[in-house]
Amino acid sequence: MESRKLVGQTASTGFQVGVRRTLPISPERAWTFLTSPEGIELWLGHVSPLAFTEGEMFTSDEGIFGQFRVVKPFKQLRLKWGKKDWEKPSTLQIRLLSNHPDRTAISFHQENLDHPNTREQMKLQWENVLDAIRRKTNNVTDEEEMNHDE
């Protein structure tokens, strides 16, 4: 009898999920927003100010905790990321992918999730985060509009 893997199940890292959206913003603008207090609140919750250094630990008021493992400005964050009621943290990677100055794909990839339901919850969470980032970065200032026309 053949055993079937469930959607998002891997042999070595439990369940994983990836969500990606391409937004009409530069990688610098995407990074600046993601690491701003407003952006951080979307994917970590309310935390003390962060330096975004490798090894830095955090715990949010909402019970999200973790530690930054890789910090590559304007490109990538890799971190341990968990919720207070989880048995063990997952690995979350946020990547900014761009080969165009005013288009950036923001990718959330999470692995080491314990269950298909957790995977589905996190898929919805990252889709909502990306939708919020799209809404909040969609306001183009007059200065940016003028620079764009050059």
Side-chain angles (χ1 to χ4, degrees), residues 1-44:
M1 192 145 177
E2 189 180 313
S3 72
R4 294 190 50 180
K5 283 199 282 190
L6 298 169
V7 173
Q9 188 173 23
T10 67
S12 61
T13 59
F15 289 87
Q16 65 178 353
V17 65
V19 180
R20 176 190 296 200
R21 297 273 187 287
T22 300
L23 304 180
I25 58 176
S26 69
E28 294 79 12
R29 180 143 185 240
W31 178 268
T32 299
F33 180 78
L34 277 170
T35 59
S36 73
E38 184 181 16
I40 291 167
E41 191 174 321
L42 294 174
W43 60 278
L44 285 183

Side-chain angles (χ1 to χ4, degrees), residues 4-146:
R4 294 190 50 180
K5 283 199 282 190
L6 298 169
V7 173
Q9 188 173 23
T10 67
S12 61
T13 59
F15 289 87
Q16 65 178 353
V17 65
V19 180
R20 176 190 296 200
R21 297 273 187 287
T22 300
L23 304 180
I25 58 176
S26 69
E28 294 79 12
R29 180 143 185 240
W31 178 268
T32 299
F33 180 78
L34 277 170
T35 59
S36 73
E38 184 181 16
I40 291 167
E41 191 174 321
L42 294 174
W43 60 278
L44 285 183
H46 293 88
V47 294
S48 299
L50 296 169
F52 288 94
T53 56
E54 292 177 7
E56 181 179 20
M57 300 177 82
F58 59 85
T59 301
S60 74
D61 294 348
E62 295 78 4
I64 295 169
F65 66 92
Q67 181 178 30
F68 291 99
R69 298 296 176 95
V70 175
V71 178
K72 295 181 181 175
F74 311 113
K75 294 194 180 302
Q76 176 190 19
L77 290 168
R78 185 176 177 90
L79 55 147
K80 288 291 177 194
W81 190 101
K83 293 186 176 185
K84 63 182 171 211
D85 57 344
W86 286 10
E87 224 172 272
K88 65 182 177 83
S90 66
T91 299
L92 175 64
Q93 184 164 248
I94 303 170
R95 299 189 66 201
L96 305 179
L97 309 164
S98 180
N99 56 8
H100 200 275
D102 57 1
R103 283 174 58 89
T104 303
I106 301 175
S107 165
F108 283 82
H109 184 267
Q110 194 169 21
E111 57 189 36
N112 294 317
L113 297 170
D114 64 348
H115 193 274
N117 290 344
T118 307
R119 178 190 181 275
E120 197 54 37
Q121 288 168 4
M122 295 316 303
K123 179 177 185 285
L124 289 172
Q125 179 166 330
W126 300 131
E127 286 172 348
N128 290 336
V129 166
L130 285 166
D131 288 345
I133 292 169
R134 174 189 285 131
R135 280 193 311 276
K136 291 173 182 292
T137 59
N138 205 14
N139 310 345
V140 177
T141 66
D142 292 340
E143 183 183 337
E144 287 171 319
E145 194 69 73
M146 289 181 346

